[in-house]
Amino acid sequence: MTDPNAASRPVQAVVLAGGQGSRLRPYTDDRPKPMVEIPGTGTPIIGHQLVWLAEEGVTDVVISCGHLAEVLQDWLKSAELPVRVTTVVETEPLGRGGGLKYAAAHLPHPDRAWYATNGDIWTRFSLRDMADFHTERDAVATLALARPRIPWGAVQTDGFGHITDFIEAPPSTFEINAGVYVFSPAFAGLLPERGDHERTTFPHLARERRLAGFPIPQGAYWRAIDTAKDLTEAAKELAALGR
């Protein structure tokens, strides 16, 4: 049976891989953050992302490089890639929004929707479902939303101030921007030439009710790799999941 939503789903994506990853040192002393390997997997973060994107129907990926770009480019040349990859390097700092706009200009289908993801995100959920959610809401941009676990134990109390329970690392009560996006073709034209789209474009779209938030399904894996502790925790979690 033909899927009526298939034609509107993106087949192209941008991966933002230009960050210095200073909090991941010494792992990032000789490589950009997306090239850091999660212990036990033998593959850098960017490799996992490209496989995931390919599994979700993406055929073309533009990777925006920055810090130690040549290390990432050399790996791409030697790896067996599941998608067609183009790399772009900013000749001068453009900020997150400007960098995204610059990368989007190199997508092969400017008249079609596209995914984007930060280069330090390790996740698995249905991008197809997220794209359908985006289309159903006629959004210009859709953000994936995660509920990360609080890194401390929490305490429950009753109405009299008695402690009733201790909960180790509970999920946050707030949703956060998970660093994965679906963008309509018009979105690139709304990005600043320089600057941060999360302070300009996103608030503007939110006021116009054209910005949507897709909750990552409960039980789906998501983690941002920011510190050495994140690497250790990701390795444990993936081992438990059998990946």
Side-chain angles (χ1 to χ4, degrees):
M1 178 181 273
T2 303
D3 187 340
N5 296 317
S8 63
R9 293 175 187 148
V11 295
Q12 55 187 355
V14 168
V15 177
L16 298 173
Q20 293 193 11
S22 55
R23 290 194 294 166
L24 260 174
R25 288 177 178 157
Y27 297 100
T28 50
D29 285 344
D30 61 353
R31 68 195 63 194
K33 190 196 287 192
M35 281 300 300
V36 172
E37 292 184 9
I38 297 172
T41 69
T43 304
I45 299 167
I46 188 73
H48 293 287
Q49 290 184 324
L50 294 177
V51 168
W52 175 49
L53 291 169
E55 289 172 351
E56 294 297 323
V58 172
T59 58
D60 293 270
V61 176
V62 175
I63 300 178
S64 177
C65 307
H67 175 64
L68 296 175
E70 64 281 359
V71 177
L72 176 51
Q73 290 171 324
D74 287 346
W75 180 82
L76 291 168
K77 289 175 185 175
S78 63
E80 291 187 16
L81 303 176
V83 292
R84 290 184 291 270
V85 172
T86 302
T87 59
V88 297
V89 182
E90 298 173 27
T91 55
E92 56 182 315
L94 300 175
R96 290 193 296 175
L100 190 59
K101 187 183 188 81
Y102 180 67
H106 293 79
L107 288 167
H109 309 289
D111 59 338
R112 296 194 62 175
W114 45 294
Y115 298 117
T117 181
N118 296 341
D120 59 355
I121 301 297
W122 208 131
T123 187
R124 282 293 189 279
F125 64 91
S126 174
L127 284 175
R128 292 180 174 91
D129 288 350
M130 185 176 173
D132 294 346
F133 180 97
H134 171 84
T135 300
E136 288 163 4
R137 281 147 187 82
D138 196 26
V140 173
T142 296
L143 287 60
L145 304 177
R147 288 186 185 271
R149 291 194 170 275
I150 299 171
W152 307 282
V155 176
Q156 276 189 337
T157 59
D158 63 18
F160 294 98
H162 297 124
I163 292 175
T164 59
D165 201 2
F166 294 89
I167 306 170
E168 186 63 31
S172 168
T173 56
F174 292 98
E175 293 175 311
I176 67 164
N177 179 351
V180 180
Y181 312 91
V182 182
F183 295 135
S184 294
F187 179 75
L190 302 176
L191 286 165
E193 297 291 337
R194 283 181 172 77
D196 188 347
H197 61 292
E198 295 193 10
R199 297 181 181 274
T200 55
T201 311
F202 280 174
H204 173 73
L205 290 174
R207 286 191 295 270
E208 295 187 345
R209 298 294 188 268
R210 296 194 293 164
L211 185 67
F214 174 79
I216 293 176
Q218 188 173 5
Y221 187 77
W222 178 90
R223 179 176 282 275
I225 308 296
D226 289 321
T227 66
K229 183 178 179 181
D230 290 326
L231 275 178
T232 303
E233 292 299 317
K236 290 179 183 176
E237 291 161 354
L238 296 172
L241 293 169
R243 292 176 180 171

